[in-house]
Amino acid sequence: MSLLDKTFDRTLDAWTHAYMAPAWRGAHLEGWLFEDAQARRAAEARLAQAGVQARFRSAYKPLLHYFLEEVERDGLVAAEIRYPLHEHAQAKRFTLEAYPLVALLDGVRVTLQPGASDLHYDVDLRYADGREIQSRVFAPNQLGHAPDGVAELSPTGWLRVRDAAGETRVDAAQATEYQLAFRAAVDAVRNHAWGAHEPYFERLEIRVDLPGIDFALPVDEEIVSTYEALHEDLYFSLLEHFQQHSGRPPGDRGLQPGQIIPDVRRHDGAARVRISVEAFTPISAVAPALPGFPLAQAREPLSAAQIAGCMAALGGDTFQATSRQGRPVLGTYLRGPGPAVFISGAQHANETSGVVGALRAAQALAASGKGHFALIAAENPDGYALFARLREQHPRHMLHASRYSALGDDIAYRERAPFFERDGRHQAHAISGAQLHINLHGYPAHEWTRPLSGYLPRHFELWTIPKGFFLVLRHHPGWGERARRLIEGVTARLARNVPGLVEFNARQLELFRAHALETGFAVMNGIPVQVTETDREELPMALISEFPDETVYGDRYVFAHTVQMETVLAATDIYRSGL
């Protein structure tokens, strides 16, 4: 069933066409929109041929693009930046929008200080030859409101026009096709007559084709992508709508709307948005197949067949749950001496380094003869399948639409039967008697934004930029002392056993602190940690790892799953030695 099929004129083409008219010869244009530098320079050249001086800039991360496109960086020794403050934005909003400028300007003394409220960055540049340059960088934003009434200050298109006589003819926000496509998609879903009971659909397919920005920065794993940002904004905006529709509180992870799938792709022309409600497609059985290489050499996420092959090779007492779409959730229990642990990966299916790390740890434990554990290497196979599909278009994007289950919920927060994937956990707990859950996770390896909904990802502001590998330990009341000993032991062992981990964390934490204006978590043995008492977890202790792996490849991926493996081995050994 189709909900929407609509096209929107390309804003850059519309502006170019309008101001090439002879009446505008001698005019000066400044425009901000969500297009890459190549397209903007080409439009400027066309207008120059018509006698119009134009400068088109990025409305997305304008300060970063200013330094990339307009600043002479050779010989630059210092940059003093006064960032805007706004009553409807967090204090760190514009320092995060400038990320990762401090790292990009390596060797330059960069200072970030609070400035005025007029949506400009004031920039003072000093060069080795004594030159000093002052400039103001406009950050076009517009105030709006989320469906629950929360104010949102969001980037917007903007156009300034002075005619040949120097008179200002236009100086106002302009809704670009990027913004219009987003609003049309969200409005189409909001205005549809959904039922009263979850889930509301099986699959909600959202295909968007439009121009935009997508490039890698020479800073760690950073990329700048309006396509990724739109995917994220559509996905979480629609989750928020269905939370409100169902009467749930904002951020509720038990919501089961169905599978929301934004598929955003590059198209150099008019933007097009298509939305349809679809049934699940039949799945094919996966034949287990061992990888043709040692897991220690895995440089990209494993396929479902490779995961199945590795699970089968472990042996043990197998158990299985079934996902909402009918895929097997594979588990195994290996008996051994001492207390058992439960090891899991890919609760959030776009966090894949934990899958390889869990399997590598299981292989090492089994080979030692001392392993006693239950294992589910990939808890969310439906999400994992969607992740594989979406990666074909955007291999480095974080792709959070594949994070949750095909029901649309976080499987750890599933509230009622049928439990589908979560039944695998129930079986693992029952068969092993484990009291420690080692739950391997990841988070974005580059900046996470929602530019059309206030820029920072709502409810996930802590995760917006990387801050190294860190650990979260949740424990039941009465388990605090054991939890403390576990986290101290694990962090000490990781710092000792994983070459480069402490240095990796230090680099990312330094950049995090520079742009987020906060220290984040406490740091123990060079590893950020958070320890919380709660009765929410099913087992008395849950050690949750977080590596910035969305989405990395090659040496970084090997490093990621090595850290995950070492976490399991350290936690298992310390736990078995008695806390």
Side-chain angles (χ1 to χ4, degrees), residues 438-522:
I438 306 171
N439 191 356
L440 305 181
H441 282 254
Y443 71 103
H446 55 266
E447 187 185 16
W448 178 9
T449 71
R450 290 180 57 188
L452 303 179
S453 302
Y455 192 81
L456 301 182
R458 192 177 180 192
H459 306 300
F460 296 95
E461 291 87 349
L462 185 63
W463 308 89
T464 186
I465 57 176
K467 51 185 171 294
F469 171 76
F470 63 94
L471 293 169
V472 176
L473 182 55
R474 299 173 183 158
H475 64 84
H476 287 184
W479 285 72
E481 182 58 25
R482 281 169 285 193
R484 181 190 64 79
R485 290 197 294 268
L486 179 65
I487 198 75
E488 287 179 352
V490 171
T491 56
R493 194 167 300 191
L494 287 173
R496 184 170 63 249
N497 290 353
V498 184
L501 177 59
V502 171
E503 293 78 9
F504 170 78
N505 279 353
R507 288 193 303 272
Q508 292 208 341
L509 283 169
E510 182 181 11
L511 188 56
F512 174 84
R513 289 163 179 158
H515 282 278
L517 306 181
E518 60 181 298
T519 58
F521 294 163

Side-chain angles (χ1 to χ4, degrees), residues 393-578:
Q393 291 295 323
H394 298 295
R396 293 188 62 188
H397 291 187
M398 53 195 74
L399 302 171
H400 275 123
S402 56
R403 169 183 172 91
Y404 293 152
S405 77
L407 283 167
D409 64 347
D410 188 326
I411 61 174
Y413 291 74
R414 188 156 294 161
E415 301 165 345
R416 60 187 181 274
F419 286 103
F420 294 112
E421 298 90 346
R422 184 163 176 172
D423 184 54
R425 287 195 179 190
H426 297 163
Q427 293 181 57
H429 298 164
I431 196 172
S432 69
Q435 293 188 306
L436 170 62
H437 180 189
I438 306 171
N439 191 356
L440 305 181
H441 282 254
Y443 71 103
H446 55 266
E447 187 185 16
W448 178 9
T449 71
R450 290 180 57 188
L452 303 179
S453 302
Y455 192 81
L456 301 182
R458 192 177 180 192
H459 306 300
F460 296 95
E461 291 87 349
L462 185 63
W463 308 89
T464 186
I465 57 176
K467 51 185 171 294
F469 171 76
F470 63 94
L471 293 169
V472 176
L473 182 55
R474 299 173 183 158
H475 64 84
H476 287 184
W479 285 72
E481 182 58 25
R482 281 169 285 193
R484 181 190 64 79
R485 290 197 294 268
L486 179 65
I487 198 75
E488 287 179 352
V490 171
T491 56
R493 194 167 300 191
L494 287 173
R496 184 170 63 249
N497 290 353
V498 184
L501 177 59
V502 171
E503 293 78 9
F504 170 78
N505 279 353
R507 288 193 303 272
Q508 292 208 341
L509 283 169
E510 182 181 11
L511 188 56
F512 174 84
R513 289 163 179 158
H515 282 278
L517 306 181
E518 60 181 298
T519 58
F521 294 163
V523 177
M524 183 179 294
N525 296 309
I527 297 171
V529 299
Q530 183 186 68
V531 181
T532 306
E533 181 178 297
T534 176
D535 57 5
R536 223 213 128 260
E537 295 289 334
E538 291 184 76
L539 300 188
M541 288 195 298
L543 180 64
I544 301 165
S545 66
E546 296 284 0
F547 192 98
D549 66 352
E550 302 171 15
T551 297
V552 301
Y553 298 86
D555 290 346
R556 179 58 58 84
Y557 194 70
V558 172
F559 182 58
H561 60 69
T562 298
V563 173
Q564 301 277 25
M565 174 192 70
E566 293 288 356
T567 300
V568 176
L569 297 178
T572 300
D573 188 51
I574 292 165
Y575 178 69
R576 285 165 51 84
S577 67

Side-chain angles (χ1 to χ4, degrees), residues 332-377:
T332 190
Y333 171 56
L334 270 70
R335 303 175 186 273
V341 299
F342 171 41
I343 306 164
S344 68
Q347 170 186 325
H348 301 148
N350 60 327
E351 304 165 8
T352 65
S353 66
V355 175
V356 184
L359 288 167
R360 288 182 64 190
Q363 289 176 350
L365 290 169
S368 73
K370 300 177 182 178
H372 186 190
F373 59 88
L375 168 69
I376 303 176

Side-chain angles (χ1 to χ4, degrees), residues 285-295 302-316 318 320 328-332 334 355-356 359-360 362-363 375 377-378 384:
V286 172
L290 283 170
F293 48 83
L295 286 182
L302 300 178
S303 68
Q306 290 170 332
I307 295 170
C310 291
M311 290 292 292
L314 283 168
T318 61
Q320 181 175 307
V329 181
L330 302 174
T332 190
L334 270 70
V355 175
V356 184
L359 288 167
R360 288 182 64 190
Q363 289 176 350
L375 168 69
Y384 204 85

